[in-house]
PDB file of all heavy atoms in Angstrom:
ATOM      1  N   CYS A  62      90.402-107.416 -23.340  1.00  0.00           N
ATOM      2  CA  CYS A  62      89.948-106.548 -22.195  1.00  0.00           C
ATOM      3  C   CYS A  62      89.835-107.433 -21.001  1.00  0.00           C
ATOM      4  O   CYS A  62      89.475-108.568 -21.091  1.00  0.00           O
ATOM      5  CB  CYS A  62      88.656-105.887 -22.469  1.00  0.00           C
ATOM      6  SG  CYS A  62      88.537-104.881 -23.948  1.00  0.00           S
ATOM      7  N   GLY A  63      89.991-106.857 -19.855  1.00  0.00           N
ATOM      8  CA  GLY A  63      89.705-107.515 -18.578  1.00  0.00           C
ATOM      9  C   GLY A  63      90.490-108.819 -18.432  1.00  0.00           C
ATOM     10  O   GLY A  63      91.639-108.875 -18.628  1.00  0.00           O
ATOM     11  N   THR A  64      89.719-109.864 -18.118  1.00  0.00           N
ATOM     12  CA  THR A  64      90.334-111.165 -17.933  1.00  0.00           C
ATOM     13  C   THR A  64      91.007-111.625 -19.078  1.00  0.00           C
ATOM     14  O   THR A  64      92.042-112.261 -19.022  1.00  0.00           O
ATOM     15  CB  THR A  64      89.266-112.165 -17.349  1.00  0.00           C
ATOM     16  OG1 THR A  64      88.988-111.767 -16.002  1.00  0.00           O
ATOM     17  CG2 THR A  64      89.690-113.516 -17.332  1.00  0.00           C
ATOM     18  N   SER A  65      90.407-111.321 -20.288  1.00  0.00           N
ATOM     19  CA  SER A  65      91.042-111.844 -21.558  1.00  0.00           C
ATOM     20  C   SER A  65      92.407-111.155 -21.699  1.00  0.00           C
ATOM     21  O   SER A  65      93.379-111.688 -22.271  1.00  0.00           O
ATOM     22  CB  SER A  65      90.155-111.490 -22.707  1.00  0.00           C
ATOM     23  OG  SER A  65      88.965-112.332 -22.577  1.00  0.00           O
ATOM     24  N   ILE A 108      91.671-111.715 -28.177  1.00  0.00           N
ATOM     25  CA  ILE A 108      91.316-112.742 -27.208  1.00  0.00           C
ATOM     26  C   ILE A 108      89.994-112.340 -26.450  1.00  0.00           C
ATOM     27  O   ILE A 108      89.912-111.157 -25.960  1.00  0.00           O
ATOM     28  CB  ILE A 108      92.395-112.923 -26.171  1.00  0.00           C
ATOM     29  CG1 ILE A 108      93.768-113.192 -26.914  1.00  0.00           C
ATOM     30  CG2 ILE A 108      92.045-114.148 -25.191  1.00  0.00           C
ATOM     31  CD1 ILE A 108      94.928-113.440 -25.992  1.00  0.00           C
ATOM     32  N   THR A 109      89.032-113.160 -26.523  1.00  0.00           N
ATOM     33  CA  THR A 109      87.635-112.769 -26.021  1.00  0.00           C
ATOM     34  C   THR A 109      86.863-113.973 -25.717  1.00  0.00           C
ATOM     35  O   THR A 109      86.804-114.915 -26.536  1.00  0.00           O
ATOM     36  CB  THR A 109      86.934-111.829 -26.985  1.00  0.00           C
ATOM     37  OG1 THR A 109      85.645-111.669 -26.628  1.00  0.00           O
ATOM     38  CG2 THR A 109      87.060-112.309 -28.409  1.00  0.00           C
ATOM     39  N   GLN A 110      86.202-113.938 -24.564  1.00  0.00           N
ATOM     40  CA  GLN A 110      85.231-115.058 -24.286  1.00  0.00           C
ATOM     41  C   GLN A 110      84.050-114.917 -25.210  1.00  0.00           C
ATOM     42  O   GLN A 110      83.768-115.844 -25.888  1.00  0.00           O
ATOM     43  CB  GLN A 110      84.861-114.952 -22.795  1.00  0.00           C
ATOM     44  CG  GLN A 110      84.010-116.174 -22.274  1.00  0.00           C
ATOM     45  CD  GLN A 110      82.558-116.188 -22.692  1.00  0.00           C
ATOM     46  OE1 GLN A 110      82.093-117.176 -23.258  1.00  0.00           O
ATOM     47  NE2 GLN A 110      81.881-115.023 -22.585  1.00  0.00           N
ATOM     48  N   SER A 111      83.402-113.790 -25.014  1.00  0.00           N
ATOM     49  CA  SER A 111      82.108-113.559 -25.723  1.00  0.00           C
ATOM     50  C   SER A 111      82.171-113.386 -27.229  1.00  0.00           C
ATOM     51  O   SER A 111      81.354-113.700 -27.950  1.00  0.00           O
ATOM     52  CB  SER A 111      81.414-112.355 -25.168  1.00  0.00           C
ATOM     53  OG  SER A 111      82.272-111.149 -25.439  1.00  0.00           O
ATOM     54  N   GLY A 112      83.362-112.771 -27.693  1.00  0.00           N
ATOM     55  CA  GLY A 112      83.445-112.396 -29.125  1.00  0.00           C
ATOM     56  C   GLY A 112      82.622-111.226 -29.421  1.00  0.00           C
ATOM     57  O   GLY A 112      82.587-110.836 -30.598  1.00  0.00           O
ATOM     58  N   GLU A 113      82.122-110.572 -28.389  1.00  0.00           N
ATOM     59  CA  GLU A 113      81.270-109.356 -28.691  1.00  0.00           C
ATOM     60  C   GLU A 113      81.747-108.066 -28.128  1.00  0.00           C
ATOM     61  O   GLU A 113      81.151-107.040 -28.196  1.00  0.00           O
ATOM     62  CB  GLU A 113      79.845-109.553 -28.175  1.00  0.00           C
ATOM     63  CG  GLU A 113      79.122-110.826 -28.851  1.00  0.00           C
ATOM     64  CD  GLU A 113      78.986-110.790 -30.304  1.00  0.00           C
ATOM     65  OE1 GLU A 113      78.985-109.622 -30.895  1.00  0.00           O
ATOM     66  OE2 GLU A 113      78.893-111.845 -30.915  1.00  0.00           O
ATOM     67  N   THR A 114      82.886-108.155 -27.390  1.00  0.00           N
ATOM     68  CA  THR A 114      83.456-106.907 -26.759  1.00  0.00           C
ATOM     69  C   THR A 114      83.764-105.853 -27.692  1.00  0.00           C
ATOM     70  O   THR A 114      84.539-106.021 -28.669  1.00  0.00           O
ATOM     71  CB  THR A 114      84.651-107.296 -25.893  1.00  0.00           C
ATOM     72  OG1 THR A 114      84.223-108.308 -24.928  1.00  0.00           O
ATOM     73  CG2 THR A 114      85.258-106.129 -25.116  1.00  0.00           C
ATOM     74  N   THR A 117      87.482-104.827 -28.376  1.00  0.00           N
ATOM     75  CA  THR A 117      88.281-105.907 -28.909  1.00  0.00           C
ATOM     76  C   THR A 117      87.963-106.013 -30.461  1.00  0.00           C
ATOM     77  O   THR A 117      88.864-106.143 -31.269  1.00  0.00           O
ATOM     78  CB  THR A 117      88.147-107.214 -28.231  1.00  0.00           C
ATOM     79  OG1 THR A 117      88.288-106.951 -26.866  1.00  0.00           O
ATOM     80  CG2 THR A 117      89.109-108.270 -28.642  1.00  0.00           C
ATOM     81  N   VAL A 160      79.116-113.567 -14.687  1.00  0.00           N
ATOM     82  CA  VAL A 160      79.773-112.368 -15.186  1.00  0.00           C
ATOM     83  C   VAL A 160      81.257-112.560 -14.920  1.00  0.00           C
ATOM     84  O   VAL A 160      82.099-112.082 -15.863  1.00  0.00           O
ATOM     85  CB  VAL A 160      79.203-111.082 -14.578  1.00  0.00           C
ATOM     86  CG1 VAL A 160      80.138-109.874 -14.840  1.00  0.00           C
ATOM     87  CG2 VAL A 160      77.856-110.811 -15.275  1.00  0.00           C
ATOM     88  N   ALA A 161      81.670-113.035 -13.821  1.00  0.00           N
ATOM     89  CA  ALA A 161      83.153-113.202 -13.592  1.00  0.00           C
ATOM     90  C   ALA A 161      83.582-114.367 -14.472  1.00  0.00           C
ATOM     91  O   ALA A 161      83.153-115.486 -14.300  1.00  0.00           O
ATOM     92  CB  ALA A 161      83.375-113.473 -12.123  1.00  0.00           C
ATOM     93  N   SER A 162      84.561-114.129 -15.301  1.00  0.00           N
ATOM     94  CA  SER A 162      85.098-115.077 -16.183  1.00  0.00           C
ATOM     95  C   SER A 162      86.001-116.117 -15.387  1.00  0.00           C
ATOM     96  O   SER A 162      86.894-115.652 -14.694  1.00  0.00           O
ATOM     97  CB  SER A 162      85.868-114.472 -17.292  1.00  0.00           C
ATOM     98  OG  SER A 162      86.396-115.455 -18.195  1.00  0.00           O
ATOM     99  N   GLN A 169      91.562-120.071 -22.121  1.00  0.00           N
ATOM    100  CA  GLN A 169      92.406-119.189 -22.973  1.00  0.00           C
ATOM    101  C   GLN A 169      93.822-119.444 -22.754  1.00  0.00           C
ATOM    102  O   GLN A 169      94.684-119.518 -23.676  1.00  0.00           O
ATOM    103  CB  GLN A 169      92.060-117.746 -22.666  1.00  0.00           C
ATOM    104  CG  GLN A 169      90.701-117.169 -23.158  1.00  0.00           C
ATOM    105  CD  GLN A 169      90.302-115.915 -22.578  1.00  0.00           C
ATOM    106  OE1 GLN A 169      90.805-115.504 -21.437  1.00  0.00           O
ATOM    107  NE2 GLN A 169      89.334-115.237 -23.153  1.00  0.00           N
ATOM    108  N   GLU A 242      94.687-111.333 -12.058  1.00  0.00           N
ATOM    109  CA  GLU A 242      93.318-111.921 -12.186  1.00  0.00           C
ATOM    110  C   GLU A 242      92.770-112.206 -10.850  1.00  0.00           C
ATOM    111  O   GLU A 242      91.514-112.063 -10.757  1.00  0.00           O
ATOM    112  CB  GLU A 242      93.559-113.238 -13.009  1.00  0.00           C
ATOM    113  CG  GLU A 242      92.351-114.129 -13.294  1.00  0.00           C
ATOM    114  CD  GLU A 242      91.205-113.454 -13.960  1.00  0.00           C
ATOM    115  OE1 GLU A 242      91.368-112.289 -14.477  1.00  0.00           O
ATOM    116  OE2 GLU A 242      90.140-114.084 -14.042  1.00  0.00           O
ATOM    117  N   LEU A 245      91.306-108.952  -9.702  1.00  0.00           N
ATOM    118  CA  LEU A 245      90.016-108.523 -10.524  1.00  0.00           C
ATOM    119  C   LEU A 245      88.838-109.342 -10.077  1.00  0.00           C
ATOM    120  O   LEU A 245      87.784-108.841  -9.945  1.00  0.00           O
ATOM    121  CB  LEU A 245      90.352-108.742 -12.046  1.00  0.00           C
ATOM    122  CG  LEU A 245      89.150-108.386 -12.976  1.00  0.00           C
ATOM    123  CD1 LEU A 245      88.773-106.907 -12.802  1.00  0.00           C
ATOM    124  CD2 LEU A 245      89.450-108.740 -14.428  1.00  0.00           C
ATOM    125  N   LYS A 246      89.028-110.693  -9.912  1.00  0.00           N
ATOM    126  CA  LYS A 246      87.928-111.529  -9.420  1.00  0.00           C
ATOM    127  C   LYS A 246      87.329-111.031  -8.191  1.00  0.00           C
ATOM    128  O   LYS A 246      86.154-110.892  -8.006  1.00  0.00           O
ATOM    129  CB  LYS A 246      88.390-112.952  -9.250  1.00  0.00           C
ATOM    130  CG  LYS A 246      88.589-113.819 -10.469  1.00  0.00           C
ATOM    131  CD  LYS A 246      87.382-114.149 -11.339  1.00  0.00           C
ATOM    132  CE  LYS A 246      87.246-113.013 -12.344  1.00  0.00           C
ATOM    133  NZ  LYS A 246      87.724-113.224 -13.693  1.00  0.00           N
ATOM    134  N   GLU A 249      85.554-107.428  -8.571  1.00  0.00           N
ATOM    135  CA  GLU A 249      84.281-107.428  -9.400  1.00  0.00           C
ATOM    136  C   GLU A 249      83.150-108.053  -8.735  1.00  0.00           C
ATOM    137  O   GLU A 249      81.987-107.611  -8.827  1.00  0.00           O
ATOM    138  CB  GLU A 249      84.478-107.876 -10.813  1.00  0.00           C
ATOM    139  CG  GLU A 249      84.585-109.373 -10.965  1.00  0.00           C
ATOM    140  CD  GLU A 249      84.704-109.663 -12.611  1.00  0.00           C
ATOM    141  OE1 GLU A 249      84.042-108.938 -13.356  1.00  0.00           O
ATOM    142  OE2 GLU A 249      85.438-110.642 -12.848  1.00  0.00           O
ATOM    143  N   LEU A 362      78.105-104.261 -13.755  1.00  0.00           N
ATOM    144  CA  LEU A 362      78.805-105.015 -14.767  1.00  0.00           C
ATOM    145  C   LEU A 362      77.854-105.766 -15.676  1.00  0.00           C
ATOM    146  O   LEU A 362      76.831-106.292 -15.255  1.00  0.00           O
ATOM    147  CB  LEU A 362      79.778-106.006 -14.113  1.00  0.00           C
ATOM    148  CG  LEU A 362      81.003-105.401 -13.369  1.00  0.00           C
ATOM    149  CD1 LEU A 362      81.688-106.531 -12.526  1.00  0.00           C
ATOM    150  CD2 LEU A 362      81.891-104.839 -14.432  1.00  0.00           C
ATOM    151  N   ALA A 363      78.299-105.991 -16.999  1.00  0.00           N
ATOM    152  CA  ALA A 363      77.607-106.800 -17.902  1.00  0.00           C
ATOM    153  C   ALA A 363      78.490-107.936 -18.361  1.00  0.00           C
ATOM    154  O   ALA A 363      79.670-107.798 -18.327  1.00  0.00           O
ATOM    155  CB  ALA A 363      77.151-105.956 -19.144  1.00  0.00           C
ATOM    156  N   LYS A 364      77.880-109.061 -18.766  1.00  0.00           N
ATOM    157  CA  LYS A 364      78.704-110.192 -19.188  1.00  0.00           C
ATOM    158  C   LYS A 364      79.616-109.828 -20.396  1.00  0.00           C
ATOM    159  O   LYS A 364      80.735-110.143 -20.499  1.00  0.00           O
ATOM    160  CB  LYS A 364      77.869-111.403 -19.508  1.00  0.00           C
ATOM    161  CG  LYS A 364      78.596-112.640 -19.903  1.00  0.00           C
ATOM    162  CD  LYS A 364      79.590-113.110 -18.783  1.00  0.00           C
ATOM    163  CE  LYS A 364      80.423-114.368 -19.248  1.00  0.00           C
ATOM    164  NZ  LYS A 364      81.593-114.502 -18.431  1.00  0.00           N
ATOM    165  N   SER A 365      78.940-109.150 -21.329  1.00  0.00           N
ATOM    166  CA  SER A 365      79.852-108.667 -22.414  1.00  0.00           C
ATOM    167  C   SER A 365      79.599-107.189 -22.644  1.00  0.00           C
ATOM    168  O   SER A 365      78.502-106.639 -22.600  1.00  0.00           O
ATOM    169  CB  SER A 365      79.674-109.427 -23.714  1.00  0.00           C
ATOM    170  OG  SER A 365      78.441-109.549 -24.101  1.00  0.00           O
ATOM    171  N   VAL A 366      80.690-106.429 -22.839  1.00  0.00           N
ATOM    172  CA  VAL A 366      80.702-104.995 -22.828  1.00  0.00           C
ATOM    173  C   VAL A 366      80.687-104.644 -24.303  1.00  0.00           C
ATOM    174  O   VAL A 366      81.652-104.503 -24.968  1.00  0.00           O
ATOM    175  CB  VAL A 366      81.898-104.411 -22.084  1.00  0.00           C
ATOM    176  CG1 VAL A 366      81.804-102.863 -22.099  1.00  0.00           C
ATOM    177  CG2 VAL A 366      81.903-104.966 -20.706  1.00  0.00           C
TER     178      VAL A 366
HETATM  179  O1  M6R B 419      84.052-111.523 -23.531  1.00  0.00           O
HETATM  180  P1  M6R B 419      85.439-110.901 -23.274  1.00  0.00           P
HETATM  181  O2  M6R B 419      86.431-111.938 -22.908  1.00  0.00           O
HETATM  182  O3  M6R B 419      85.876-110.061 -24.443  1.00  0.00           O
HETATM  183  O4  M6R B 419      85.243-109.938 -22.056  1.00  0.00           O
HETATM  184  C1  M6R B 419      86.258-109.112 -21.689  1.00  0.00           C
HETATM  185  C2  M6R B 419      86.005-108.515 -20.307  1.00  0.00           C
HETATM  186  O5  M6R B 419      84.878-107.710 -20.332  1.00  0.00           O
HETATM  187  C3  M6R B 419      85.783-109.700 -19.274  1.00  0.00           C
HETATM  188  O6  M6R B 419      86.924-110.486 -19.177  1.00  0.00           O
HETATM  189  C4  M6R B 419      85.609-109.045 -17.773  1.00  0.00           C
HETATM  190  O7  M6R B 419      86.755-108.363 -17.439  1.00  0.00           O
HETATM  191  C5  M6R B 419      85.134-110.140 -16.896  1.00  0.00           C
HETATM  192  N1  M6R B 419      83.920-109.640 -16.188  1.00  0.00           N
HETATM  193  C6  M6R B 419      86.137-110.537 -15.893  1.00  0.00           C
HETATM  194  O8  M6R B 419      85.769-111.516 -14.984  1.00  0.00           O
END
Side-chain angles (χ1 to χ4, degrees):
C62 304
T64 287
S65 295
I108 307 180
T109 169
Q110 188 286 129
S111 61
E113 302 299 339
T114 302
T117 310
V160 163
S162 181
Q169 285 165 346
E242 177 58 8
L245 179 63
K246 287 291 88 96
E249 76 178 322
L362 291 167
K364 181 63 184 160
S365 52
V366 183

